[in-house]
Amino acid sequence: MDSLVGFVGKNYVLMAGDTNAGRSIMRLKDDFDKLVQIDSHKILAKSGEIGDGNQFCNLIIRNVSLYRIRNETELTTKSVAHYTRRQLATAIRKNPYSVNLLLGGYDKKDQKGSLYYLDYLGSSKKINYGAHGYAALFVGSILDRFWKEDLDFEDGLELMKKCLREVEKRLIIGTRCFLIKMINSDGISVVEKVMINSEKKNEIEEEN
Amino acid sequence: MFTLGSVLDNELKSTVEDFSFETNFSTNQLMLPNIEKPFEFAQSIIGLEKDLQENENQLMFHQQKKEERKERALIKGYKGTTTLAFIYEKGTVIAVDSRATSGQYIASQSVQKVVPINSYMLGTLAGGAADCQFFLAHLGRICNLYELRNNETISVAAASKLLNNILYSYRNYGLSVGSMICGYDTRGPQLYYIDSDGSRLKNSLFSVGSGSPFAYGVLDAGYRWDLSKEEALDLGRRAICAATFKDSYSGGTIKVYHIDENGWVKISDDDASELWYEYEKKEKKEKK
């Protein structure tokens, strides 16, 4: 039910998630932010159970902060991905966290953005583009077709909107509202909170 | 040597722990059966053991069988109720019904579904009555301790987070709690939805229970931030009335509460069926 999409561009990472939080057939909240900030240059996008997502993301955020306080240095995206994966893997046989994650981050050392795909079973893979949830079925092929290495920000945003438009059009469960965030050398910024209405002949209403 | 003086000294010495939350709230404080593996016992009551024997691949069962487990649970929570709460400019409005059903039988028409936590916070009850009543009363105790230790009133966010952490640690034990923590603190009117699955959501309006879709309909249609107090109370009352009319598991009396900077107050307590016909009469008069 939750849709998460992300991909890497030229010196940035673009991530989007829908803003629904619900329980069975009901939408309880329609401005729920699923792209959680871990530190100044990393986002953990969560999908799955709300409670597990909250608690697990808090665990990662606090431990990354603790490392920074103890060692006076920020972790790289790769390290955070490995740490997160290990937490999921050790929990799966005892006390599973039902969360699927996309970890996006920008490393100042390499001057590059990176994206990791993490699963509730404890799998982890560095990817250039990917998605979680039902969106992955629709968006996977679009990203395969149109994603290129080193996309400019404008082209990247257009590609992201293309993906979200497809999700809104084909997913029978109504998810019109998406939150798009970008990570680059300046840090994390909210690009747009987009409300997509495909009835209006592919016009997109923008909400800030 | 334990002289009286040294014992008193130890008692009066304050430690870091006295000025912070007790850290053992999330560990087991409840009495669990005095057997070797209480977790397995709790799971067997809710039908998990059968799954483990059937399905050797333990990874899959957690995802796939969760819904089936809920069906087979011997300890079934009743979510036959309608409770709602919303915040607006002048405070928080809470409206609940008061019917308890076990299957097709109406067990009671006068259940208290709103539990006071302290003088400016209320919790609503949906799901397992015993679970909700216990945990909300427990939350009241914790909030009281916080206020005594830290010499300041606890915020609604903190109180809801405490309850959330406790319920999260019991998330596979088959508890059924669908509670809303509503209050008024320094940040204004606040409303949180807390679940036995471990979710905690903040929003301006919620409705929980079997009659919640019906209540949402009336509530969403009439809700604005800048309602007057009379309009807000009327909206809450009408939403529950609509839910009791449509949902057979909700009914009894409709209780409405209001929370503002002065604390919580019970506004009204009306019979659900009588209220419906009163509204009908009013509308007929207006048409004429």
Side-chain angles (χ1 to χ4, degrees):
Chain A
M1 279 236 260
D2 303 317
S3 308
L4 298 175
V5 187
F7 58 81
V8 177
K10 183 167 192 164
N11 299 327
Y12 68 88
V13 180
L14 210 54
M15 298 176 79
D18 72 314
T19 55
N20 285 336
R23 196 185 161 76
S24 77
I25 56 160
M26 277 210 297
R27 182 179 301 140
L28 287 176
K29 201 166 143 74
D30 58 7
D31 54 0
F32 188 60
D33 187 1
K34 293 179 185 166
L35 307 175
V36 175
Q37 179 174 335
I38 303 183
D39 66 18
S40 57
H41 288 77
K42 291 181 199 57
I43 285 182
L44 197 54
K46 56 182 175 177
S47 80
E49 283 201 34
I50 303 172
D52 284 352
N54 271 341
Q55 298 282 350
F56 185 73
C57 285
N58 270 336
L59 176 72
I60 302 299
I61 293 168
R62 310 299 174 218
N63 278 294
V64 168
S65 295
L66 182 61
Y67 185 93
R68 189 177 62 245
I69 292 167
R70 278 188 177 149
N71 302 293
E72 291 190 1
T73 175
E74 299 234 339
L75 283 164
T76 59
T77 315
K78 184 177 176 185
S79 314
V80 175
H82 279 256
Y83 177 75
T84 310
R85 187 214 83 85
R86 186 151 175 87
Q87 293 298 310
L88 288 167
T90 48
I92 186 66
R93 299 277 180 182
K94 290 178 193 164
N95 190 19
Y97 291 107
S98 306
V99 271
N100 296 317
L101 306 163
L102 279 179
L103 172 69
Y106 182 87
D107 296 315
K108 284 192 181 139
K109 238 200 251 175
D110 307 321
Q111 306 262 313
K112 251 197 295 183
S114 45
L115 185 65
Y116 286 82
Y117 176 104
L118 292 129
D119 212 324
Y120 76 101
L121 296 164
S123 54
S124 159
K125 180 87 174 73
K126 185 168 194 294
I127 52 172
N128 287 319
Y129 54 85
H132 270 302
Y134 289 119
L137 302 166
F138 304 115
V139 146
S141 50
I142 297 180
L143 288 169
D144 278 335
R145 168 77 178 81
F146 291 110
W147 184 87
K148 282 191 275 284
E149 190 104 32
D150 287 341
L151 277 170
D152 287 334
F153 178 66
E154 286 81 30
D155 294 336
L157 190 58
E158 188 50 50
L159 176 59
M160 181 59 89
K161 286 188 183 169
K162 205 181 275 188
C163 296
L164 300 178
R165 226 176 286 154
E166 183 67 13
V167 174
E168 193 276 334
K169 190 165 187 219
R170 291 298 177 190
L171 191 55
I172 210 168
I173 303 164
T175 41
R176 274 187 316 154
C177 205
F178 298 89
L179 186 62
I180 307 177
K181 286 191 184 173
M182 177 191 62
I183 318 167
N184 63 4
S185 55
D186 299 327
I188 298 172
S189 54
V190 177
V191 178
E192 273 175 68
K193 189 175 183 223
V194 188
M195 249 221 345
I196 299 186
N197 193 343
S198 66
E199 287 169 358
K200 279 192 175 178
K201 290 191 180 173
N202 291 328
E203 271 171 8
I204 299 179
E205 297 162 43
E206 287 172 2
E207 233 180 76
N208 273 334
Chain B
M1 265 280 278
F2 282 99
T3 63
L4 184 63
S6 67
V7 166
L8 277 177
D9 253 348
N10 284 332
E11 287 285 300
L12 292 171
K13 265 189 206 153
S14 58
T15 61
V16 174
E17 283 163 5
D18 293 339
F19 293 103
S20 58
F21 295 115
E22 274 183 28
T23 51
N24 56 355
F25 282 137
S26 58
T27 60
N28 291 335
Q29 294 278 39
L30 296 184
M31 273 170 44
L32 283 173
N34 192 13
I35 57 176
E36 212 181 77
K37 294 177 184 175
F39 182 65
E40 266 86 55
F41 172 72
Q43 283 185 338
S44 70
I45 294 179
I46 58 173
L48 257 186
E49 204 183 75
K50 216 174 160 187
D51 290 329
L52 288 173
Q53 284 167 2
E54 281 171 1
N55 194 346
E56 291 187 273
N57 188 351
Q58 291 185 35
L59 297 174
M60 291 300 137
F61 90 82
H62 181 78
Q63 288 286 310
Q64 291 168 2
K65 302 271 184 178
K66 195 167 183 189
E67 289 312 309
E68 287 180 38
R69 247 187 285 144
K70 277 188 183 162
E71 298 282 316
R72 255 186 285 155
L74 295 175
I75 302 172
K76 271 188 184 151
Y78 80 93
K79 287 211 168 136
T81 183
T82 313
T83 58
L84 66 84
F86 62 90
I87 57 173
Y88 71 112
E89 194 178 24
K90 300 203 175 81
T92 316
V93 170
I94 301 164
V96 298
D97 74 317
S98 66
R99 178 176 291 184
T101 50
S102 60
Q104 314 287 45
Y105 174 71
I106 296 177
S108 168
Q109 292 271 58
S110 52
V111 178
Q112 283 286 2
K113 294 189 186 179
V114 171
V115 176
I117 297 168
N118 59 29
S119 60
Y120 57 94
M121 266 203 277
L122 292 172
T124 62
L125 202 153
D131 295 335
C132 287
Q133 281 170 357
F134 175 80
F135 282 106
L136 288 173
H138 187 52
L139 181 64
R141 283 193 287 269
I142 299 172
C143 292
N144 203 1
L145 280 171
Y146 175 94
E147 293 188 11
L148 290 169
R149 288 196 173 112
N150 302 63
N151 201 23
E152 67 167 8
T153 53
I154 190 171
S155 64
V156 183
S160 61
K161 188 74 182 164
L162 282 169
L163 182 61
N164 177 46
N165 285 338
I166 295 171
L167 288 178
Y168 185 76
S169 65
Y170 287 111
R171 73 195 147 120
N172 286 329
Y173 283 70
L175 293 178
S176 174
V177 173
S179 169
M180 294 183 286
I181 308 294
C182 340
Y184 197 105
D185 61 16
T186 51
R187 295 175 195 158
Q190 306 272 305
L191 175 61
Y192 286 84
Y193 166 73
I194 309 288
D195 210 303
S196 48
D197 297 334
S199 27
R200 169 175 174 264
L201 293 171
K202 179 180 193 303
N203 205 358
S204 49
L205 64 84
F206 282 113
S207 174
V208 183
S210 57
S212 62
F214 310 116
Y216 267 124
V218 175
L219 205 50
D220 285 331
Y223 175 76
R224 283 185 339 262
W225 178 257
D226 54 357
L227 290 165
S228 73
K229 186 173 174 182
E230 275 311 308
E231 285 176 331
L233 296 170
D234 184 58
L235 179 66
R237 204 176 291 123
R238 276 190 190 262
I240 295 287
C241 192
T244 56
F245 188 69
K246 271 280 193 281
D247 180 30
S248 41
Y249 294 104
S250 307
T253 56
I254 298 175
K255 298 177 168 60
V256 180
Y257 295 74
H258 187 267
I259 316 180
D260 57 16
E261 64 267 12
N262 302 320
W264 65 262
V265 167
K266 183 171 183 179
I267 303 287
S268 68
D269 194 338
D270 305 300
D271 184 279
S273 38
E274 281 172 26
L275 194 62
W276 178 262
Y277 294 113
E278 263 174 46
Y279 284 139
E280 253 193 342
K281 245 193 262 174
K282 241 195 246 174
E283 265 152 50
K284 276 193 189 153
K285 267 192 203 165
E286 279 167 24
K287 271 189 188 167
K288 285 180 190 166

